[in-house]
Amino acid sequence: MHYAHARSIVLLDAKQGDVNGDGILDNVYLYGNQSDGPFADHITLIIQDGRSNRSTAVNLPNNAGYNARLFLGDFSKDNVQDILVSIDTGGSGGYGIFYMYSFKNNVVYEMFDFEKYNEAYKFNVNYEDFYKVSVSNPQLDVLFTIDISSKGYDYLSQYYDDDGKLKKPVQGEVLALGGLFPIVTNERGVGYDLFALQRIIGTTNADTLGYVENLLTWNGTQFASSRLTVAILGSKLISLF
């Protein structure tokens, strides 16, 4: 008998660190079902207590994707390492699946869930007259304005008349979380913050207008935004002579 797609449980990543706070290194593993290619599903986090060798399995709500990886670091500033799980979805949008767990005192506690983040950080993207795009979030009380005047006639004439007025309302979009990176903001090295990236697009996925960048710091109960900015892509310098 020939099984064309035999699936096997594969170790996707492994890290060592003291995640329960008893001073002894623990083993942290990501296992998943994989067939021939890089795609894995049923990705599961396993934490093995270095003192007792007892293992705890954490089922991830979204557990399928590519390049599943672990990062251990102290995000909650309690001198115990936390566990960041990152998985790529592999779609053209470039979305990511991200979870963070604390295992202090051998208790699993969810610190970050990408779906809750995506619900909390939604933005309105509207094209405005005179080649501007506004990016706003009423809950956070922020407004950013992107200048798209350098995008060229072919692009702009789709949406604007010759006077720079919009022909009709046009919306863009801020996509779901695409990147979530550990970042050191304190040089004394007392732990990590998170740097979250969301892509801003125009009317098509290929039309990147910029990025929402959000610096997230643990405030004792959750990750809160300590700096929210929009980054824009540079255009070519055009000589005026």
Side-chain angles (χ1 to χ4, degrees):
M1 280 169 64
H2 178 65
Y3 292 100
H5 293 287
R7 303 186 68 74
S8 55
I9 294 178
V10 176
L11 177 64
L12 303 169
D13 199 8
K15 291 281 189 289
Q16 269 197 327
D18 178 19
V19 293
N20 63 359
D22 66 359
I24 295 171
L25 287 179
D26 307 303
N27 294 306
V28 184
Y29 304 107
L30 277 180
Y31 284 99
N33 285 349
Q34 223 171 20
S35 50
D36 308 337
F39 179 81
D41 59 12
H42 298 297
I43 297 169
T44 306
L45 172 66
I46 305 283
I47 307 164
Q48 185 185 38
D49 177 5
R51 184 190 293 267
S52 69
N53 283 336
R54 194 175 297 126
S55 288
T56 301
V58 181
N59 292 314
L60 309 175
N62 286 268
N63 58 12
Y66 300 85
N67 193 23
R69 56 208 181 272
L70 291 164
F71 180 88
L72 304 185
D74 179 13
F75 291 84
S76 57
K77 320 294 195 286
D78 61 359
N79 297 313
V80 179
Q81 291 192 309
D82 306 301
I83 302 164
L84 174 63
V85 178
S86 305
I87 305 169
D88 301 331
T89 57
S92 60
Y95 307 121
I97 295 168
F98 305 97
Y99 298 105
M100 189 184 292
Y101 299 97
S102 160
F103 193 61
K104 192 176 180 179
N105 301 326
N106 296 304
V107 177
V108 176
Y109 175 78
E110 184 186 87
M111 296 171 62
F112 185 91
D113 174 337
F114 77 109
E115 289 186 301
K116 291 174 185 156
Y117 179 90
N118 287 332
E119 280 302 312
Y121 291 93
K122 286 189 181 301
F123 297 86
N124 304 315
V125 179
N126 291 297
Y127 283 63
E128 311 283 357
D129 289 341
F130 308 115
Y131 319 119
K132 302 271 195 292
V133 174
S134 67
V135 181
S136 62
N137 180 311
Q139 292 83 14
L140 301 169
D141 193 25
V142 290
L143 168 68
F144 302 97
T145 305
I146 299 174
D147 182 342
I148 56 168
S149 60
S150 65
K151 273 190 162 288
Y153 179 79
D154 288 351
Y155 180 94
L156 296 172
S157 60
Q158 299 174 77
Y159 310 120
Y160 293 93
D161 64 24
D162 290 343
D163 297 326
K165 296 287 183 71
L166 272 178
K167 295 175 182 175
K168 64 176 196 296
V170 181
Q171 263 92 40
E173 193 180 349
V174 172
L175 299 181
L177 200 52
L180 188 69
F181 306 101
I183 183 170
V184 175
T185 53
N186 182 332
E187 286 75 18
R188 293 166 67 185
V190 292
Y192 294 89
D193 293 325
L194 283 172
F195 185 68
L197 274 182
Q198 292 172 266
R199 197 154 60 91
I200 307 165
I201 62 168
T203 55
T204 67
N205 186 42
D207 181 21
T208 301
L209 301 179
Y211 293 87
V212 174
E213 300 183 342
N214 196 0
L215 181 65
L216 299 165
T217 303
W218 187 257
N219 66 6
T221 53
Q222 62 183 19
F223 281 103
S225 175
S226 54
R227 192 178 72 231
L228 183 79
T229 56
V230 161
I232 57 167
L233 307 172
S235 55
K236 293 271 188 286
L237 275 172
I238 299 165
S239 170
L240 298 175
F241 304 104

